[in-house]
Amino acid sequence: MDLGIKGRKAIVCASSKGLGLGCAEELAANGVDLVMNARTADVLNASADRLRETYGVKVTAVATDITTVDGRAEVLAAAEGTVDILVNNAGGPPPGDFRDWEMDDWNAAINANMLTPIELIKAVIDPMIDQRFGRIVNITSGSVKNPIPQLGMSNGARAGLTGFVAGLARQVAQHNVTINNLLPGQFDTDRINGLFKSRSEKEGRPADVIRAEAEAANPCRRIGAIHEFGQACGFLCSAHSGYVVGQNLLVDGGAFNSSH
Ligand code: NAP
């Protein structure tokens, strides 16, 4: 399917690898110019070079921390004017026991996974409204629908973003500006492998056994691939998704079972 967004301009945050990279690649494959971002310059530049060379789109790489005021300003400046598509993403908070978390830990999680996307939305949304096109996708987590006990900070911070977006999405939809959330289940990224490792250390069992159990428990009998996540993102960013508003789309192989 032609997504109808060739020549558009996107910011994809936290996109040197993992789910953000999957989204950036799908947009590049559909002719979208990109501002990509992550903190580690060499990994980011390697991914940006690959997408630029493979798809022939303009790719600007901005090595900065998207959770800081200055980092967001750098990324927005690199976009040079109106942004058509914004994919919000950042690293997820660490797992643990809430008794060990201090206010600073909570503030970091809320900043990264709630306030940072809201600040970026605030920066880009009015020009989107003026031009009657905008697509905003927030990468959140399956934990929004099915909270994961050991990821309490993620559960809490993402719930805040989800509630905010539910309201704003319905205020801007009339202008052909959509905001939706994409909820990953388990995808093959450094993040999920880190979580398997952390469980392995806690439970005293090999990480590959924990991973095999996760695969066996999924209706697809596997962990997701980042391009599959990117393809779902591509549709939400497409010209054809203007009537998909304020949704929380689970991409989890059917792991979460609910009839509504
Ligand atoms: P990942 O493979 O570890 O990739 C994270 C990406 O974000 C990297 O490019 C990383 O690069 C960048 N990043 C992290 N913090 C950043 C910051 N402060 N500023 C700019 N870039 C930053 O992680 P992932 O699995 O793709 O996860 C992405 C998001 O989805 C996370 O919030 C995660 O919690 C959530 N999620 C993932 C899964 C899963 O199965 N993978 C499931 C549910 C939710 P640098 O480190 O160089 O900055």
Side-chain angles (χ1 to χ4, degrees), residues 64-151:
T64 190
D65 184 339
I66 199 65
T67 68
T68 65
V69 174
D70 290 349
R72 289 190 289 277
E74 273 182 74
V75 167
L76 289 163
E80 295 178 336
T82 301
V83 174
D84 304 302
I85 295 164
L86 168 66
V87 180
N88 276 316
N89 187 31
D97 184 322
F98 89 102
R99 292 169 189 81
D100 299 326
W101 296 333
E102 304 299 341
M103 282 294 283
D104 284 350
D105 301 310
W106 274 106
N107 284 332
I110 291 166
N111 179 49
N113 298 113
M114 177 185 173
L115 300 179
T116 289
I118 291 172
E119 282 293 291
L120 286 165
I121 292 170
K122 187 168 78 174
V124 302
I125 203 159
D126 287 327
M128 286 179 171
I129 289 170
D130 290 344
Q131 69 170 10
R132 292 197 58 79
F133 181 90
R135 298 286 182 262
I136 299 174
V137 173
N138 304 304
I139 299 178
T140 62
S141 173
S143 68
V144 167
K145 295 208 182 210
N146 191 17
I148 301 166
Q150 64 272 26
L151 286 174

Side-chain angles (χ1 to χ4, degrees), residues 138-180:
N138 304 304
I139 299 178
T140 62
S141 173
S143 68
V144 167
K145 295 208 182 210
N146 191 17
I148 301 166
Q150 64 272 26
L151 286 174
M153 281 194 290
S154 171
N155 299 338
R158 296 188 200 280
L161 176 66
T162 304
F164 170 76
V165 161
L168 181 64
R170 286 155 178 95
Q171 291 175 311
V172 299
Q174 63 190 302
H175 306 292
N176 190 26
V177 174
T178 66
I179 315 178
N180 291 286

Side-chain angles (χ1 to χ4, degrees), residues 15-249:
S15 56
S16 66
K17 57 185 181 172
L19 301 175
L21 178 60
C23 296
E25 179 145 14
E26 179 66 13
L27 293 174
N30 281 278
V32 175
D33 293 331
L34 299 175
V35 175
M36 294 174 68
N37 150 258
R39 293 163 302 182
T40 313
D42 55 344
V43 181
L44 175 66
N45 289 333
S47 294
D49 290 347
R50 184 176 67 77
L51 297 195
R52 195 182 297 114
E53 283 156 22
T54 307
Y55 302 105
V57 292
K58 182 178 174 199
V59 182
T60 308
V62 185
T64 190
D65 184 339
I66 199 65
T67 68
T68 65
V69 174
D70 290 349
R72 289 190 289 277
E74 273 182 74
V75 167
L76 289 163
E80 295 178 336
T82 301
V83 174
D84 304 302
I85 295 164
L86 168 66
V87 180
N88 276 316
N89 187 31
D97 184 322
F98 89 102
R99 292 169 189 81
D100 299 326
W101 296 333
E102 304 299 341
M103 282 294 283
D104 284 350
D105 301 310
W106 274 106
N107 284 332
I110 291 166
N111 179 49
N113 298 113
M114 177 185 173
L115 300 179
T116 289
I118 291 172
E119 282 293 291
L120 286 165
I121 292 170
K122 187 168 78 174
V124 302
I125 203 159
D126 287 327
M128 286 179 171
I129 289 170
D130 290 344
Q131 69 170 10
R132 292 197 58 79
F133 181 90
R135 298 286 182 262
I136 299 174
V137 173
N138 304 304
I139 299 178
T140 62
S141 173
S143 68
V144 167
K145 295 208 182 210
N146 191 17
I148 301 166
Q150 64 272 26
L151 286 174
M153 281 194 290
S154 171
N155 299 338
R158 296 188 200 280
L161 176 66
T162 304
F164 170 76
V165 161
L168 181 64
R170 286 155 178 95
Q171 291 175 311
V172 299
Q174 63 190 302
H175 306 292
N176 190 26
V177 174
T178 66
I179 315 178
N180 291 286
N181 304 316
L182 255 188
L183 284 51
Q186 293 187 321
F187 280 84
D188 203 357
T189 68
D190 289 359
R191 163 82 174 170
I192 201 72
N193 289 313
L195 289 174
F196 289 147
K197 189 160 169 278
S198 131
R199 270 190 57 198
S200 156
E201 282 156 11
K202 199 167 161 225
E203 297 171 19
R205 300 189 304 131
D208 57 349
V209 170
I210 292 169
R211 182 190 168 102
E213 286 171 358
E215 288 170 340
N218 189 286
C220 289
R221 303 285 181 264
R222 62 184 177 85
I223 301 288
I226 62 170
H227 73 267
E228 298 174 291
F229 192 81
Q231 285 159 350
C233 180
F235 172 70
L236 290 178
C237 295
S238 77
H240 315 301
S241 64
Y243 208 57
V244 182
V245 171
Q247 296 303 300
N248 290 288
L249 177 63

